[in-house]
Amino acid sequence: HFFCGTSHSNIYWVDSSSLAPELRNTCHYNKINDIVFPHNYSDVFATCSLGEIRIWNAKNRHEILRIQVPTVECYCIGFMRDGKSIISGWSDGKIRAFYPQSGKLMYVINDAHVHGVTAIASTSDCNKIVSGGLEGEVRIWRIGRQSQSMEASMKEHRNRVWSIKVISDLTSA
């Protein structure tokens, strides 16, 4: 047998007699833009990079799930506090939410920030998302079962919003 590495950072163990590959390890092949753990849970974490989100087992460092969105870059990720969705901000200006077990798309907020969503966080009641944009905007979104709507928009920053933290009384800082 021998090991083989690819340009997309996959490492395979290959049986030399049958040339049957077995995936042994993976990682991002481009820069990592964000890393996040779910609220009060350290067994898994998520990372995002060019066109993808990966969910990792923190104990054995193996990839559990890969969510791919071709031709766009994922700038930021978060877990809703209840653990029922992964929220993410993308270079195409959209907020995308995914189911954490399957990676299937739950909903999309189109045109959340024109030049890209660069920061994201949820409130503790999981009814709102606060997002930041490349142009310095901060927006609050009401999240319902069937619809997502903007509740507020502020433009106080001159440049990119890098991070958003929501404090316990549901206000953003």
Side-chain angles (χ1 to χ4, degrees), residues 99-112:
Y99 292 100
Q101 293 83 10
S102 66
K104 291 189 181 202
L105 186 65
M106 182 182 283
Y107 62 83
V108 176
I109 300 174
N110 292 307
D111 303 316

Side-chain angles (χ1 to χ4, degrees), residues 36-44 78-83 122-124 126 166:
V36 66
F37 284 84
H39 180 70
N40 288 334
Y41 191 69
S42 61
D43 288 351
V44 299
F79 288 96
M80 291 298 271
R81 298 279 297 254
D82 61 8
S122 72
T123 58
S124 60
C126 300
V166 178

Side-chain angles (χ1 to χ4, degrees), residues 10 43 57 65 95 125:
N10 294 324
D43 288 351
N57 179 312
L65 178 68
I95 293 173
D125 64 1

Side-chain angles (χ1 to χ4, degrees), residues 39 79-83 87 120-130 140-143 151 164-172:
H39 180 70
F79 288 96
M80 291 298 271
R81 298 279 297 254
D82 61 8
I87 53 176
I120 199 161
S122 72
T123 58
S124 60
D125 64 1
C126 300
N127 289 328
K128 295 179 184 167
I129 292 174
V130 182
I140 300 172
W141 305 89
R142 177 166 295 284
I143 305 302
E151 280 197 343
I164 293 174
K165 301 292 180 217
V166 178
I167 51 181
S168 61
D169 67 358
L170 302 182
T171 60
S172 61

Side-chain angles (χ1 to χ4, degrees), residues 23-27 43-45 54-65:
L23 183 64
R24 287 291 176 98
N25 209 343
T26 65
C27 65
D43 288 351
V44 299
F45 65 95
R54 295 184 189 204
I55 310 299
W56 303 89
N57 179 312
K59 292 183 180 192
N60 65 20
R61 301 171 310 278
H62 285 135
E63 181 181 321
I64 299 170
L65 178 68

Side-chain angles (χ1 to χ4, degrees), residues 62-150:
H62 285 135
E63 181 181 321
I64 299 170
L65 178 68
R66 187 180 306 185
I67 301 167
Q68 295 181 305
V69 182
T71 70
V72 291
E73 185 170 357
C74 186
Y75 288 149
C76 56
I77 52 174
F79 288 96
M80 291 298 271
R81 298 279 297 254
D82 61 8
K84 293 182 180 177
S85 64
I86 300 166
I87 53 176
S88 56
W90 297 80
S91 61
D92 63 358
K94 297 178 182 181
I95 293 173
R96 291 179 173 89
F98 301 93
Y99 292 100
Q101 293 83 10
S102 66
K104 291 189 181 202
L105 186 65
M106 182 182 283
Y107 62 83
V108 176
I109 300 174
N110 292 307
D111 303 316
H113 294 273
V114 176
H115 298 288
V117 182
T118 57
I120 199 161
S122 72
T123 58
S124 60
D125 64 1
C126 300
N127 289 328
K128 295 179 184 167
I129 292 174
V130 182
S131 64
L134 196 62
E135 298 295 314
E137 315 92 349
V138 175
R139 297 196 170 133
I140 300 172
W141 305 89
R142 177 166 295 284
I143 305 302
R145 286 182 170 244
Q146 301 298 324
S147 65
Q148 303 78 42
S149 59
M150 185 169 47

